[in-house]
Amino acid sequence: MNFDDCVKAHVAWKSKLQGYLRNPDKSLTPTTVESDRNCDLGKWLHGEGAKFASNTKFSQLVAEHAKFHKAAASIIRQADTGKSVVEETALGGKSEFSTASAKVVGLIMDCKKDFSK
């Protein structure tokens, strides 16, 4: 996986959550989503990408990616309770999810710059 693929894999989560909020059909489980090791990016970060672990930005990326998954799991938990979860509030620009997601993408791009030198 290259850094551009990492961004694509990560960004796809917003679409997954948008679909889930429209139809919380239990196809996503909070426990599985909360783990930062189950998605394609997480598998790469903790697998092949771990060769970059000594880089500060990479370490920040791993930490922010974990925060992102906790925020996504929280949204799923809310939807699973039957509460109405407003998409803009849960996934919008100032949400915990969106903030964490933006940090992850920014750190992926920072790592791309660092490791492309």
Side-chain angles (χ1 to χ4, degrees):
M1 179 178 272
N2 64 42
F3 289 105
D4 293 329
D5 290 338
C6 289
V7 170
K8 288 176 191 170
H10 175 73
V11 171
W13 269 99
K14 185 170 185 177
S15 294
K16 277 186 192 181
L17 286 175
Q18 286 170 326
Y20 194 81
L21 289 178
R22 290 184 196 115
N23 180 28
D25 59 2
K26 309 287 188 208
S27 61
L28 297 175
T29 60
T31 306
T32 302
V33 171
E34 192 166 41
S35 172
D36 67 327
R37 295 174 178 262
N38 294 326
C39 69
D40 290 340
L41 176 56
K43 289 175 185 173
W44 183 81
L45 289 172
H46 294 286
E48 180 188 336
K51 64 187 174 193
F52 302 118
S54 63
N55 179 281
T56 303
K57 288 179 185 163
F58 184 85
S59 297
Q60 291 172 342
L61 171 58
V62 172
E64 289 299 329
H65 181 249
K67 288 180 188 176
F68 165 83
H69 275 277
K70 288 187 185 325
S74 176
I75 292 167
I76 293 167
R77 281 188 184 93
Q78 289 175 10
D80 285 350
T81 64
K83 291 182 190 174
S84 176
V85 180
V86 178
E87 187 176 312
E88 181 57 33
T89 303
L91 304 177
K94 296 189 185 218
S95 69
E96 182 181 355
F97 172 86
S98 183
T99 301
S101 182
K103 286 180 182 178
V104 168
V105 171
L107 286 162
I108 291 170
M109 298 313 293
D110 287 347
C111 287
K112 179 181 177 180
K113 288 177 201 167
D114 284 357
F115 302 127
S116 297
K117 294 177 183 177

